[in-house]
Amino acid sequence: MSEMRVCPYCAESIRSEAIKCRYCGSMVSAFPLVGEWVRKENGRMIAGVCAGLAERFAISVTVIRLAFVLGFLFSGGAAAILYVVLWVIMPLELPRDLGDPGFDEPLGY
């Protein structure tokens, strides 16, 4: 039997080699700032920046969007500049392979 540890987010017992908690869905092994940040094609409203950040940090996209709106209102537009900078530097997520069993979206052409 493998060793167990406690999820820091929901306090459930998970396997020590787990990357993501099976109970709450939080990332437990990777530091969120390490790795590639990508804009999401699915679930985007403008450019996919908020959806990409929400997936990377494992929080609701609504929280990220609300933070950008409040940041825009209270920072004199600095959040809008940050959004545009992230839009430019974050690559768009590559489309999934057609052989992927989860691929069920029609092609755009």
Side-chain angles (χ1 to χ4, degrees):
M1 178 123 184
S2 65
E3 294 181 26
M4 303 295 277
R5 66 179 171 155
V6 175
C7 172
Y9 301 100
C10 68
E12 293 287 339
S13 293
I14 56 173
R15 292 172 40 180
S16 61
E17 63 270 4
I19 296 172
K20 193 173 191 180
C21 176
R22 64 183 277 189
Y23 299 101
C24 68
S26 299
M27 300 297 283
V28 293
S29 70
F31 188 64
L33 298 177
V34 176
E36 186 175 14
W37 291 14
V38 294
R39 293 183 290 125
K40 303 294 288 179
E41 183 71 31
N42 293 338
R44 72 182 197 174
M45 294 194 81
I46 299 174
V49 171
C50 293
L53 290 175
E55 181 176 296
R56 187 69 191 149
F57 290 102
I59 58 175
S60 172
V61 69
T62 306
V63 173
I64 299 288
R65 288 179 179 145
L66 184 62
F68 270 105
V69 169
L70 292 175
F72 176 75
L73 294 175
F74 294 113
S75 69
I81 294 170
L82 176 63
Y83 188 91
V84 170
V85 167
L86 289 173
W87 187 349
V88 170
I89 65 172
M90 287 174 66
L92 188 60
E93 179 181 46
L94 295 175
R96 293 188 289 185
D97 187 21
L98 292 176
D100 185 2
F103 188 80
D104 57 356
E105 299 174 15
L107 295 174
Y109 48 87

